[in-house]
Amino acid sequence: PAAKAAAASAPAAPAAHTSNDSRSDPNPDAATLERYQSDLARALAGQSGIASGVWLTRQTLAINRTGDLEQVWPRVCQEVLRYPALRTVRVQLNARPGVDEPVRWRQCATY
């Protein structure tokens, strides 16, 4: 029990750098990739300034934001980069509701 408590309180290593983390696979099968996309959308929806993350295509993630672009973008990339298989997806950052601003397109990493 003491060992479990110590392990639980120890800081976790970043997921993308942990060799035994299943998310570190840059070429997962189709079912695993769908699970990654679902997990990522859920994680983003819980972030401050983000209403939701919706996959429009296999390579396009739309972010419906409620916060400023400068506030939201670093959070989006932080989550996206946890999944090497998704790191090069296109991110569509939709305008905030009621604010006249353009849709922005970004990418967290390139090939």
Side-chain angles (χ1 to χ4, degrees), residues 52-104:
S52 63
V54 179
W55 288 93
L56 302 178
T57 68
R58 281 239 189 252
Q59 289 296 313
T60 304
L61 172 63
I63 301 297
N64 297 311
R65 57 191 181 91
T66 57
D68 291 329
L69 185 63
E70 295 77 23
Q71 170 199 12
V72 171
W73 180 240
R75 292 182 183 151
V76 170
C77 271
Q78 180 180 8
E79 291 298 325
V80 168
L81 293 174
R82 292 178 189 260
Y83 298 87
L86 301 175
R87 69 185 179 88
T88 60
V89 298
R90 199 175 23 219
V91 180
Q92 175 182 318
L93 295 151
N94 294 327
R96 293 173 287 171
V99 179
D100 184 22
E101 56 191 4
V103 171
R104 302 285 185 196

